[in-house]
């Protein structure tokens, strides 16, 4: 039986993953804004919730993120950039997962293989952008890819059997 932590467990993908793990007999700890008041964009909320958990976990999944925030649709052109929309994208899709990753060393097992995964998006690929648009969302996802990459390097020093990865769940 694995110990699994799913952040964003009330969303469609997070809830489905939680149900799948539970269906396999794994113990799932769920955190979400709507059920637990876990706000991934608020440093105090992240620290308070994550330090209160009983770990370690075999799997930590950060299944949060949004393409539209507060009605701000993805930009079709760079001329449409809004400071607020861009900052909101970074807060939710990059800074939030970084705040959770700050706790990875305490959340994950040191004595066995473990996985820390953050949902990203293929559109965060710099090399795979051939049509432009969606500047704020793309940039935030590119940032979270770099955050996860850097965290993986650091985590490997203390958690030799860990995997730290950004995942593209597909269009949801």
């Amino acid at each position: 039986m694995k110990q699994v932590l799913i952040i964003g467990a009330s969303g469609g993908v997070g809830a489905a993953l939680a149900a799948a793990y539970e269906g396999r007999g794994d113990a799932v700890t769920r955190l979400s804004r709507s059920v637990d008041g876990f706000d991934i964009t608020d440093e105090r909320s992240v620290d308070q919730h994550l330090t209160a958990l009983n770990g370690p976990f075999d799997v930590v999944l950060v299944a949060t993120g949004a393409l539209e925030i507060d009605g701000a649709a993805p930009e079709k052109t760079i001329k449409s950039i809004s400071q607020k929309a861009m900052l909101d994208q970074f807060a939710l899709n990059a800074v939030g997962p970084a705040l959770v990753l700050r706790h990875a060393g305490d959340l994950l097992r040191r004595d066995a293989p473990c996985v820390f995964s953050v949902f990203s998006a293929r559109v965060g690929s710099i090399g795979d952008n051939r049509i432009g648009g969606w500047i704020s969302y793309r940039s935030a996802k590119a940032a979270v890819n770099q955050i996860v990459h850097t965290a993986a390097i650091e985590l490997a020093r203390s958690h030799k059997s860990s995997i730290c990865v950004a995942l593209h769940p597909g269009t949801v």
Side-chain angles (χ1 to χ4, degrees), residues 16-162:
L17 286 167
Y21 275 109
E22 288 168 342
R24 295 184 350 185
D26 294 326
V28 177
T29 300
R30 299 172 183 233
L31 280 177
S32 70
R33 181 182 52 224
S34 63
V35 175
D36 308 292
F38 180 87
D39 183 353
I40 197 167
T41 66
D42 181 84
E43 187 172 4
R44 284 180 295 210
S45 178
V46 172
D47 291 347
Q48 179 184 26
H49 282 87
L50 296 184
T51 58
L53 295 176
N54 293 321
F57 295 94
D58 301 289
V59 177
V60 176
L61 286 158
V62 181
T64 59
L67 177 61
E68 282 191 29
I69 302 173
D70 292 335
E75 309 93 348
K76 295 187 187 232
T77 173
I78 196 129
K79 294 177 184 179
S80 301
I81 285 187
S82 148
Q83 179 180 357
K84 182 183 178 330
M86 185 170 252
L87 289 172
D88 287 348
Q89 283 292 332
F90 271 81
L92 179 60
N93 290 313
V95 177
L99 293 173
V100 175
L101 274 161
R102 183 170 69 181
H103 294 270
D106 296 326
L107 293 172
L108 293 173
R109 295 193 177 282
R110 290 180 189 265
D111 58 345
C114 54
V115 176
F116 194 110
S117 62
V118 174
F119 281 10
S120 181
R122 184 174 177 181
V123 298
S125 168
I126 292 170
D128 194 24
N129 182 355
R130 289 176 176 66
I131 61 170
W134 295 18
I135 297 97
S136 297
Y137 182 75
R138 283 182 192 276
S139 300
K141 290 301 186 175
V144 82
N145 291 343
Q146 185 61 262
I147 291 163
V148 170
H149 179 73
T150 301
I153 293 167
E154 291 185 21
L155 195 56
R157 295 179 190 138
S158 59
H159 295 68
K160 303 288 185 207
S161 298
S162 68

